[in-house]
Amino acid sequence: MTAVEQVHELRKPGDTDAVTFSWADPAAGLYGLARVATGLSAEGAEQPSALAVLFSGREPLGAVAVAGDQAPEAVTASVEEPLRRWTVRGAGELAFDLEFAATTPSAELGGRDKAAKAGGLQGYEQVCRVSGTVRVEGRSRTVNGLGQRGHAWGNPDWDRIALTRTVGAWFDDGSGFVIGAVRPEGAPSHADEAIWAAALDGERARIVDDARLSTTTDEAGRQIRAGLELWVGKDDDYPLRGTGEVVAGSTLELGALRLDVAFFRWHVDGRAGTGHYDVIRHA
């Protein structure tokens, strides 16, 4: 296993290492997110955690968020081939068995990037093809779709962070865009966020020179529509522009934090795709 795929050493309280899987099969109307993480508690003990949420159409099938000894029983993930292929499985009420196969190289968020400094996390993202099964109302259903796998590590300081955003747009040819944004505590708007983005295809991952994201929310602050503008190269004559709208979404309470999970239908420069738009903020 390459070093980047290994769980990073946890040295001080608050350190965390997390792997997140998001996926969508619009033809089957199935969507989901799963995350496994290891963190270091204030007492210096390693603590695993796991969460998952699944949707059939617009309706959530259920959600789970656990920490401690129950976490490995709820969601497990394994590296089958470093940076190429992984499996993620859920047990109990949310049963799923999925394989993620990378269609792109990894887009790296380095520790010196503004978004990494603001959020306290660095890592990488890849677009994937996703296959397997999900248990829906007692029946196994086949998944054949697209998704995203992200690996992040660091020590986020939520006294200084108002919210974080993770966005992905995935297309049938295996290419896509990924975006991460961090709003500092006290900042009033999108314009004040540190943002990072990458354009990925089968041959390369290009860090976007200038990325802009706008969002429309409902009364509860949940994302329902979004617009993006991506100047991929510094000398580009015009940006890639896109819009997206929610097709499924839910909220998970994670103690002091709240996770708004949403799956989007995207339209970017004449191409239709699917993807996700997740927000973590103070509860």
Side-chain angles (χ1 to χ4, degrees):
M1 184 182 299
T2 60
V4 74
E5 286 277 37
Q6 295 176 345
V7 175
H8 285 68
E9 184 179 0
L10 307 178
R11 299 178 178 178
K12 60 181 181 180
D15 280 0
T16 185
D17 184 291
V19 179
T20 304
F21 300 85
S22 297
W23 55 271
D25 182 348
L30 297 171
Y31 308 87
L33 175 144
R35 184 169 71 203
V36 293
T38 302
L40 201 64
S41 71
E43 294 74 30
E46 289 192 8
Q47 184 176 53
S49 62
L51 68 84
V53 57
L54 302 180
F55 299 86
S56 178
R58 298 188 69 89
E59 297 301 319
L61 294 172
V64 60
V66 295
D69 293 341
Q70 290 181 307
E73 299 175 4
V75 182
T76 59
S78 60
V79 177
E80 305 300 329
E81 187 178 354
L83 298 176
R84 297 286 300 275
R85 192 166 54 88
W86 310 267
T87 57
V88 58
R89 297 182 175 91
E93 179 185 352
L94 296 183
F96 55 91
D97 189 340
L98 300 170
E99 179 177 282
F100 281 62
T103 59
T104 71
S106 57
E108 298 185 7
L109 172 62
R112 295 184 178 181
D113 189 278
K114 290 181 180 179
K117 291 180 178 179
L121 291 170
Q122 59 182 303
Y124 56 91
E125 303 281 343
Q126 289 175 267
V127 178
C128 302
R129 296 206 182 277
V130 185
S131 59
T133 58
V134 173
R135 197 85 174 160
V136 180
E137 297 179 347
R139 182 168 63 92
S140 181
R141 292 182 57 184
T142 299
V143 172
N144 185 12
L146 295 165
Q148 181 176 333
R149 178 187 183 269
H151 183 189
W153 56 90
N155 194 312
D157 182 356
W158 281 96
D159 289 334
R160 300 175 61 185
I161 300 170
L163 59 81
T164 65
R165 307 179 192 272
T166 305
V167 179
W170 321 314
F171 303 99
D172 287 341
D173 63 358
S175 65
F177 302 97
V178 294
I179 300 171
V182 181
R183 181 182 296 185
E185 188 63 46
S189 70
H190 260 312
D192 302 292
E193 296 174 8
I195 189 167
W196 166 90
L200 303 95
D201 59 34
E203 297 181 354
R204 57 181 176 166
R206 293 177 292 167
I207 302 303
V208 172
D209 182 66
D210 184 10
R212 302 170 191 180
L213 179 67
S214 60
T215 309
T216 302
T217 61
D218 64 13
E219 293 180 354
R222 295 178 294 236
Q223 55 277 25
I224 56 175
R225 286 186 297 276
L228 55 85
E229 189 174 278
L230 305 175
W231 296 82
V232 179
K234 184 176 296 186
D235 299 323
D236 287 356
D237 293 328
Y238 56 88
L240 296 174
R241 291 187 173 93
T243 59
E245 62 276 349
V246 67
V247 295
S250 187
T251 295
L252 279 70
E253 299 295 340
L254 307 174
L257 301 176
R258 160 183 147 184
L259 169 62
D260 293 323
V261 180
F263 289 89
F264 267 48
R265 183 182 298 110
W266 288 101
H267 313 272
V268 182
D269 262 24
R271 291 197 294 166
T274 189
H276 73 130
Y277 185 157
D278 303 331
V279 178
I280 301 177
R281 71 183 84 218
H282 295 278

